[in-house]
Amino acid sequence: MYITTTIPYVNARPHLGFALEIVQADVLARHHRRRGEPVRFQTGSDDNSLKNVLAAEAAGVPVRELVDRNAAAFEGLRGPLDLSFDAFIRTSTHPGHRAGVARLWRATAHDVYRRHYEGLYCVGCEQFYPEGPCPDGHEAPLRRVSEENWFFRLSRYREPLLDLIGSGELAIEPAGRRNEVLAFLKAGLEDISISRSAARSRGWGIPVPGDPDQVVYVWWDALANYITALEGDDYARWWEREPRKVHLMGKGVIRFHAVYWPAMLLSAGLPLPTRIFVHDYITAGGRKISKSGGVTADPAALSGAYGVDAVRWWLLREVPRVGDADFTEERLVARADADLADGAGNLVNRVVTMVHRFRGGRVPEARPEPLEAVARAGERVHEALEAFDFRRAAGAA
């Protein structure tokens, strides 16, 4: 199984919303490894965003300095969150990424053309909208941008995408998100801008092949990471031959992954992912947690204060498969006390006490048949994780 997370912008340090996604991916990877299955678990950072450039300008530091510092914080979550990812790709430094993006661009050249464009641009989402405000809640006003860009003929792929998603060949979970994508496709597709001027991007990003005055649009650049990080034989092993390619992501980026990305791959004649799992948001006081929106929660700091088990357990046990979850430190502590200390911890303490009191401190031989609840637990966890229901899996445990 090839398991990936999205690669977040590194305009600021990581927050608890991304920790949810990467812990979910980590659980899937560990579960399937324990079942003896081959797994590649990949994550990374989106270094080439205009958001990163503007954040560096606001901080008064070079873009490279800000990007390197924050990307290191994302990769550094491995320790505080006890993560087991196999690969971490940085789009500005990975040796094969720039060349891979150029190859993908050339492979889709028959669907690429240049024209003038004018529209409202949300820097927070890194995309254009026909009108404001930003539907994802970014507070900064949309910027009117007028320039000549390269466009991708997304409109050609409406029917193929409807067939792939409708048949389940490209499976999207939960069902509500699948229906959302199908409704978007049925309403019709317009061609999309896939570059921006090098001047507006301050020269930061990957140049468009053959047109150095333009840089590749950040989403085209970032989405390519799922294949550009696969070097040598890894590409054939994990993308061409692997029957289970799973993308995990938040609901705000579903259009990019379930429409734009498969259309790019169809245009290039490349295999598609097989399953897309979409999680909702973590909020604080009813507001979406974000890196730059004033509402944040540092997963590394939380792990340092309360322990990695408490943080991971809250993310798995409290966050529903469908719907946002509101976070407070009090809720994290309450869940850890109830389940880990009073539940599992108390059980362990009682068992140890009884072994010493009644068995002379020696663990007795196992029963010929395990308790029914124990025998079923692993199966119930597997069933839940196959449906990407982490709360139900935690409940089964």
Side-chain angles (χ1 to χ4, degrees):
M1 178 180 284
Y2 181 32
I3 302 168
T4 67
T5 72
T6 55
I7 54 171
Y9 304 130
V10 289
N11 56 311
R13 291 178 57 82
H15 61 67
L16 197 61
F18 180 67
L20 168 66
E21 185 173 309
I22 202 166
V23 166
Q24 288 179 338
D26 186 68
V27 167
L28 286 181
R30 289 174 181 270
H31 174 72
H32 286 280
R33 289 185 193 121
R34 288 190 64 185
R35 290 171 60 84
E37 302 169 22
V39 171
R40 177 185 172 94
F41 168 22
Q42 179 176 300
T43 186
S45 62
D46 181 355
D47 295 359
N48 296 329
S49 165
L50 180 59
K51 288 181 72 170
N52 301 337
V53 174
L54 298 179
E57 288 181 354
V61 299
V63 180
R64 170 57 64 193
E65 179 181 328
L66 179 130
V67 165
D68 286 350
R69 181 176 69 230
N70 290 332
F74 276 90
E75 188 169 8
L77 289 176
R78 176 188 286 275
L81 293 181
D82 193 18
L83 302 172
S84 63
F85 52 80
D86 300 295
F88 188 98
I89 176 174
R90 290 188 53 195
T91 56
S92 71
T93 61
H94 186 275
H97 182 69
R98 178 175 291 220
V101 169
R103 281 196 303 273
L104 182 61
W105 184 283
R106 288 191 289 268
T108 61
H110 55 283
D111 281 326
V112 173
Y113 63 96
R114 185 166 176 159
R115 71 173 172 88
H116 182 268
Y117 184 78
E118 184 172 332
L120 296 172
Y121 193 76
C122 174
V123 175
C125 296
E126 290 276 17
Q127 71 168 312
F128 287 97
Y129 290 109
E131 59 185 18
C134 166
D136 205 37
H138 292 114
E139 296 178 356
L142 302 185
R143 301 182 178 190
R144 181 158 293 280
V145 174
S146 177
E147 62 186 24
E148 191 161 300
N149 295 146
W150 290 95
F151 275 70
F152 174 66
R153 288 190 175 90
L154 181 68
S155 54
R156 284 185 172 175
Y157 295 95
R158 175 178 175 272
E159 293 301 326
L161 290 173
L162 281 170
D163 291 343
L164 287 164
I165 297 169
S167 68
E169 186 174 344
L170 176 56
I172 302 173
E173 302 278 355
R177 298 300 172 194
R178 172 180 177 273
N179 294 337
E180 176 187 329
V181 173
L182 289 173
F184 177 74
L185 291 168
K186 289 173 182 177
L189 293 179
E190 295 183 356
D191 295 349
I192 56 171
S193 169
I194 57 171
S195 74
R196 60 181 184 266
S197 70
R200 185 159 65 89
S201 64
R202 319 301 200 265
W204 185 259
I206 297 177
V208 168
D211 188 355
D213 292 334
Q214 296 270 310
V215 298
V216 177
Y217 178 47
V218 63
W219 277 101
W220 183 284
D221 170 349
L223 288 165
N225 95 90
Y226 301 124
I227 57 176
T228 62
L230 300 171
E231 301 176 280
D233 295 339
D234 282 344
Y235 176 80
R237 168 65 185 87
W238 295 108
W239 197 258
E240 291 185 335
R241 298 197 301 269
E242 174 55 47
R244 294 175 302 169
K245 298 182 283 287
V246 180
H247 291 331
L248 275 72
M249 71 205 60
K251 61 183 177 182
V253 298
I254 183 174
R255 186 181 305 176
F256 299 98
H257 287 82
V259 178
Y260 299 174
W261 174 230
M264 291 160 58
L265 293 168
L266 287 171
S267 176
L270 301 177
L272 271 61
T274 58
R275 298 188 78 185
I276 292 173
F277 172 66
V278 186
H279 62 78
D280 287 342
Y281 290 146
I282 293 181
T283 60
R287 295 181 61 196
K288 176 191 171 186
I289 290 178
S290 70
K291 295 190 295 296
S292 55
V295 180
T296 188
D298 186 332
L302 290 170
S303 180
Y306 301 107
V308 62
D309 289 340
V311 174
R312 286 176 64 108
W313 186 250
W314 188 89
L315 292 169
L316 299 168
R317 191 73 174 93
E318 285 287 325
V319 178
R321 185 171 184 267
V322 177
D324 297 340
D326 204 61
F327 171 80
T328 67
E329 291 190 33
E330 292 77 14
R331 288 175 180 149
L332 183 149
V333 170
R335 176 56 72 181
D337 284 350
D339 291 358
L340 303 184
D342 296 342
N346 191 38
L347 172 63
V348 170
N349 185 60
R350 285 170 180 260
V351 170
V352 170
T353 299
M354 293 174 72
V355 167
H356 281 283
R357 181 175 298 171
F358 301 114
R359 298 292 181 178
R362 297 178 65 85
V363 177
E365 292 186 10
R367 295 159 52 104
E369 295 295 331
L371 295 171
E372 183 179 352
V374 175
R376 278 277 293 141
E379 182 182 341
R380 291 171 60 204
V381 167
H382 180 66
E383 290 170 355
L385 292 180
E386 283 293 285
F388 300 109
D389 194 335
F390 297 90
R391 173 187 266 181
R392 180 155 59 94

